[in-house]
Each structure stands twice: as C-alpha cells, then as structure tokens.
Amino acid sequence: MVTTTAPNLALVEKQTGWALGWIINLIAGELVPPSDDEPGIFPNPAQELEDLLARRIDFYLGEDSKLTEVIGKWNRVWGPFVYLARPPFNKYATNAIYVAQQGNKYVIGVAGTNPKSLQNWLIEDLYVAVLADWADYAENEPQFQPKISMGTKIT
C-alpha cells in the first residue's frame, strides 16, 4: 500500500516567502546608470532601477513563469522602491523593497546585503550590532525603549 502525505504547510509558506524575497535581489548586480545631473534632478537613476526591477518582478510573478508553477500566482501591489546611497557609494542599489499579494496574504520582499554595494558592507552591516534610539522614527511609550541598528539609522 502506498501512502502519500500532504506537504508541510509551514515549509511551503517558508519556501514561498523565500522565493518572493529572492525576487527583490534581481537588481543587485545592476550598475546605476550614469548621470551628469546634480543629485535629485531627473533623470533619476533610482527610478530607472525601480522600473527595471518592476518589470523583472512582474515577469517572475506572471502566469507564464516557472516560479508560479511552484508558489502560485502572486501580484505586485506596491513598489519596488530602490534606495541609492550618497556618492561615492551609489554605484549599485543599496536597498530595495516591494509587496506581493495572493488573496489575503501579503509578503514584503526586502533585499538583503547587496554584495556589490560598499554602503551595505561598510555602513549597514558593520554597524548592525551598535544600537540607536528609535525615538526619531516612532512614538516612544515610557515602558518601551525601541532601538534600531546604527547602520539603519545613518543610511
């Protein structure tokens, strides 16, 4: 007699979350388009990377993707947002984020350390153990003393 077991739902959800998180890293190796303009004046190189990343996310979440055969159909409902560090650390995307939805489920995909971004290595990662007050970013309740990493604060 052959018996089959249902897939472990927690494992399937973790794998889906991992896959949707992996997609946001599709921008990691893209060199920021050069611009002769002053910072903050269009054309905006971060916008160009966001547009490219949006197309890639939509491709992988699309119905014809091999990924949707495994995780089902998802939709990009917000983002992506790409953050570029200040010069001279702005050669590659520093951070990126987007939100995907399937029915009443939402997954926030956040890019991990971009191996090509000096800002990630030298600032965000090295200062992760140093904590800073979060008072500038959220209301402080007297009983709580929220903290964030110094690498996040100074980014």
Side-chain angles (χ1 to χ4, degrees):
M1 176 176 176
V2 175
T3 59
T4 59
T5 58
N8 181 332
L9 186 58
L11 180 60
V12 170
E13 287 182 350
K14 286 180 182 179
Q15 290 171 327
T16 298
W18 179 87
L20 292 168
W22 168 81
I23 291 173
I24 194 67
N25 288 297
L26 292 172
I27 202 71
E30 293 295 329
L31 192 60
V32 172
S35 174
D36 294 332
D37 297 328
E38 293 295 319
I41 297 177
F42 290 95
N44 181 346
Q47 182 66 55
E48 292 181 38
L49 290 176
E50 288 169 2
D51 293 345
L52 175 62
L53 183 55
R55 289 191 302 274
R56 289 178 179 177
I57 291 169
D58 292 344
F59 170 79
Y60 279 99
L61 297 183
E63 292 183 28
D64 294 333
S65 169
K66 296 286 184 191
L67 183 62
T68 59
E69 293 177 13
V70 178
I71 67 171
K73 178 81 172 97
W74 287 77
N75 296 304
R76 178 176 55 90
V77 294
W78 181 86
F81 173 78
V82 173
Y83 170 75
L84 298 178
R86 293 185 181 128
F89 299 110
N90 63 341
K91 301 289 186 210
Y92 295 92
T94 305
N95 302 108
I97 186 171
Y98 83 109
V99 178
Q101 174 191 18
Q102 182 187 64
N104 64 353
K105 297 178 192 173
Y106 293 85
V107 171
I108 300 171
V110 179
T113 297
N114 182 343
K116 295 194 174 215
S117 169
L118 289 175
Q119 171 80 12
N120 280 160
W121 289 99
L122 298 177
I123 306 295
E124 293 180 3
D125 289 353
L126 289 178
Y127 287 100
V128 74
V130 178
L131 297 180
D133 289 331
W134 196 15
D136 295 339
Y137 308 101
E139 291 183 24
N140 258 341
E141 295 292 329
Q143 70 271 27
F144 301 115
Q145 296 178 355
K147 306 280 186 192
I148 60 173
S149 75
M150 185 61 76
T152 299
K153 183 175 181 173
I154 61 179
T155 297

